[in-house]
Amino acid sequence: MSRVERWPNGLTVALEERDFPGVAFQLLVPAGAVSDPEGLEGASTLLEGWLWKGAGELDARGLAQALDALGVRRSSGAGLEYTAFAASFLPEVLEEVFRLYALLLTRPRLPEEGFEAVRSVALQSLLSQEDQPARKLFSELRRRVFLSPHGRDPLGREEDLKRATPKALREDFGRRYTPRGAILAVAGGVSWERLLGALEPLALWEGEEVLYPPPILASPERFALRRPTAQVQIGLAYPDVGPEDPGFYAARLALEVLSGGMSSRLFTEVREKRGLVYAVSAFPAGVKGQGLLMAYAGTTRDRAKETLAVMLQEMERLAEGVTEEELARAKVGLRTALVMGDESIRTRASSMARDLYMLGRVRPLAEIEARVEGTTLEEVNAFLRAHPYRDPWVGLLGEVEDV
């Protein structure tokens, strides 16, 4: 069972204590592409990279060496809705690890001399999309799905990255690297009392709340990005329900039927029976307040039209319902994923933080498993009749004439 507490400075802290010889945490800071300033898309990505150039008494090399000496396995990155910091380490270094991360959040150096290197890396990451056609397609697809900033790409826009200045980013850091709306989820072998003691430096963290715009969908459309690629990339997007919706588990089970393995409908109908693609899948891609289901296929130019037709057909066929056998297989698949995820405290810390962001509470694993197991065939099929997957946004990238 998780324990959750909201501090006076607005930081939400959660712990799931386990008999495990390690600790992991996930920290979500409310600085994502959605809240990037107008004209500075990519600011969150620049800030995340710039932060690691030093904090407090440590320069970039000193900070990296200090964390390495503690054996901290770490990652960080700016996303659509927030910037995430993740780390795992041994319990005996808990206090020193959080002292260093508190330095990062409250006393970053943000040195002028390190800024151009950070900008250069960000521009290279953006440019690399041109060599990743699927990534390029879904970036454009998301931009067309949302009228609100939820359609932005966390990598930003070239003109905005080039326009960014150290002064503007320091001001943005002060506005968005705030404990109000930040979430720290911890899992592993540490007590609540010891964790609170280790987090004392974060009690000094201050800032105002960051306002998030509500997600707003555009009208569905079809588009083609014409590129001289060897394969044609196909992307679909459908409005869906999020975890706050009563139909969420029915939708997740239906998605598992559609794309949950080598006996799923998409894999069977698109790849195995017709040999149309080398890759096909569907996956959730929603944001807070708006569920979204996306589907992908990569195929040859002469098979693109038939591939798209079969994908649309399989999505629409869900409204006719799933079978008892398909549902049983979907339940086993989701429960297996839960059990495998539960083995990793790093995965658990991540899911706890995500739950707190999306729902304002942490779902116990037993609750999720019971909801998956307790969802009936009638409930799934009633949901699919009421929420047919039709009229999607459709995007193609490659040597195509039309959609």
Side-chain angles (χ1 to χ4, degrees):
M1 181 65 72
S2 303
R3 184 167 178 174
V4 181
E5 186 175 287
R6 183 165 186 182
W7 288 11
N9 67 357
L11 174 65
T12 298
V13 177
L15 171 67
E16 190 165 290
E17 188 176 348
R18 293 189 177 190
D19 184 15
F20 186 81
V23 179
F25 75 75
Q26 179 96 356
L27 171 65
L28 307 184
V29 177
V34 166
S35 59
D36 277 347
E38 286 297 329
L40 275 182
E41 289 186 31
S44 298
T45 294
L46 289 171
L47 276 175
E48 185 276 326
W50 204 16
L51 271 184
W52 292 104
K53 298 301 181 184
E57 72 279 11
L58 300 170
D59 61 13
R61 185 178 177 83
L63 181 60
Q65 288 179 336
L67 289 168
D68 287 346
L70 297 171
V72 180
R73 307 295 184 190
R74 58 193 182 277
S75 63
S76 59
L80 186 61
E81 296 176 285
Y82 43 71
T83 294
F85 297 84
S88 56
F89 45 86
L90 297 175
E92 52 263 38
V93 299
L94 179 80
E95 286 77 8
E96 183 60 9
V97 170
F98 279 119
R99 186 188 76 82
L100 292 170
Y101 273 86
L103 275 183
L104 200 67
L105 297 168
T106 61
R107 295 174 53 201
R109 290 191 170 189
L110 303 179
E112 195 96 7
E113 65 273 16
F115 181 71
E116 286 305 325
V118 171
R119 191 207 309 268
S120 175
V121 170
L123 285 168
Q124 289 176 57
S125 296
L126 186 63
L127 185 63
S128 72
Q129 277 195 3
E130 301 303 321
D131 298 325
Q132 304 172 65
R135 175 82 174 77
K136 180 76 176 177
L137 171 63
F138 277 92
S139 175
E140 181 62 26
L141 182 57
R142 179 172 283 277
R143 198 174 284 276
R144 297 191 184 224
V145 166
F146 288 101
L147 291 174
S148 56
H150 300 79
R152 293 175 173 174
D153 190 316
L155 293 178
R157 298 186 303 186
E158 182 177 356
E159 60 270 31
D160 290 1
L161 294 174
K162 290 180 176 176
R163 182 187 300 130
T165 65
K167 180 176 183 294
L169 286 177
R170 287 193 187 99
E171 291 174 356
D172 188 36
F173 174 85
R175 184 177 67 87
R176 292 193 295 159
Y177 268 71
T178 166
R180 298 197 179 281
I183 295 167
L184 175 65
V186 183
V190 59
S191 69
W192 179 252
E193 291 72 21
R194 187 180 169 201
L195 176 64
L196 291 185
L199 294 179
E200 279 185 6
L202 286 175
L204 302 175
W205 191 15
E206 296 179 332
E208 300 300 319
E209 188 167 359
V210 178
L211 298 178
Y212 279 87
I216 303 173
L217 294 178
S219 298
E221 63 171 306
R222 295 187 173 210
F223 66 93
L225 301 178
R226 294 176 178 85
R227 299 283 192 283
T229 56
Q231 302 283 336
V232 173
Q233 314 294 319
I234 301 173
L236 310 176
Y238 298 82
D240 206 351
V241 298
E244 74 286 353
D245 191 281
F248 174 71
Y249 289 96
R252 281 294 291 116
L253 286 161
L255 175 59
E256 191 74 10
V257 169
L258 186 70
S259 184
M262 297 178 69
S263 57
S264 67
R265 291 188 179 183
L266 280 181
F267 192 89
T268 301
E269 297 297 330
V270 181
R271 174 169 165 151
E272 291 303 288
K273 285 187 179 178
R274 297 174 176 83
L276 293 171
V277 302
Y278 62 90
V280 61
S281 63
F283 48 91
V287 296
K288 188 174 182 177
Q290 179 60 61
L292 193 69
L293 186 153
M294 286 183 157
Y296 164 76
T299 186
T300 58
R301 180 182 176 185
D302 60 331
R303 293 173 176 169
K305 189 173 181 179
E306 183 181 358
T307 300
L308 175 59
V310 177
M311 289 176 72
L312 294 171
Q313 174 186 309
E314 288 306 312
M315 295 297 301
E316 288 199 22
R317 191 163 71 91
L318 281 174
E320 299 172 12
V322 304
T323 67
E324 191 79 60
E325 181 182 352
E326 287 177 321
L327 181 60
R329 198 161 51 234
K331 287 182 175 182
V332 170
L334 285 185
R335 289 179 60 204
T336 301
L338 272 175
V339 171
M340 294 299 108
D342 189 39
E343 286 189 345
S344 163
I345 55 172
R346 193 160 180 167
T347 301
R348 183 54 183 155
S350 175
S351 63
M352 289 166 62
R354 183 72 178 167
D355 269 3
L356 284 166
Y357 176 74
M358 297 291 282
L359 300 168
R361 70 183 185 92
V362 177
R363 291 175 298 170
L365 289 171
E367 175 191 318
I368 301 173
E369 190 168 3
R371 293 295 302 275
V372 169
E373 194 56 39
T375 301
T376 66
L377 182 66
E378 290 71 24
E379 289 171 330
V380 173
N381 288 338
F383 171 84
L384 291 171
R385 284 194 298 275
H387 300 81
Y389 293 99
R390 292 175 184 153
D391 303 322
W393 289 263
V394 180
L396 271 65
L397 185 150
E399 292 191 3
V400 291
E401 298 302 322
D402 52 34
V403 183

